[in-house]
Amino acid sequence: SSSRAMKAAIGAGVGIGIAVIGAPLAIWGAGFTGAGIAAGSMAAKMMSTAAIANGGGVAAGSLVATLQSVGAVGLSLGAKVGLGTALGSVGAAVGSWFSENN
């Protein structure tokens, strides 16, 4: 029905919005910023743990290094497309499920 399609479309839109806007905001909010890792943040704790585990440095390509890169320059177009596709699909499925169960 059109109501089910509408709810699926709304869910897809929400999923895409979370991917494109929410993910970078969450990364920034965790302390991975354009100016570096914010003191006292979750990012600082993660960096400290990673550095201790790696003998004093943060390994290139590690989660901490990747998140700092995203915090500094944002998500690449490919990452936005990938996240948008994945979360848009999940959102559409949730919207469709919600339509069937309400």
Side-chain angles (χ1 to χ4, degrees):
S1 78
S2 65
S3 174
R4 183 176 179 182
M6 178 62 77
K7 288 182 181 178
I10 291 169
V14 169
I16 292 168
I18 289 170
V20 175
I21 298 168
L25 286 176
I27 291 168
W28 180 82
F32 296 98
T33 72
I37 291 180
S41 67
M42 180 188 299
K45 291 176 181 126
M46 290 174 66
M47 185 176 121
S48 174
T49 300
I52 290 168
N54 289 310
V58 175
S62 68
L63 178 62
V64 172
T66 300
L67 289 173
Q68 181 51 43
S69 177
V70 171
V73 299
L75 292 171
S76 68
L77 177 59
K80 286 180 183 177
V81 169
L83 277 173
T85 300
L87 292 179
S89 298
V90 169
V94 169
S96 180
W97 175 84
F98 190 80
S99 177
E100 289 176 5
N101 294 299
N102 285 318

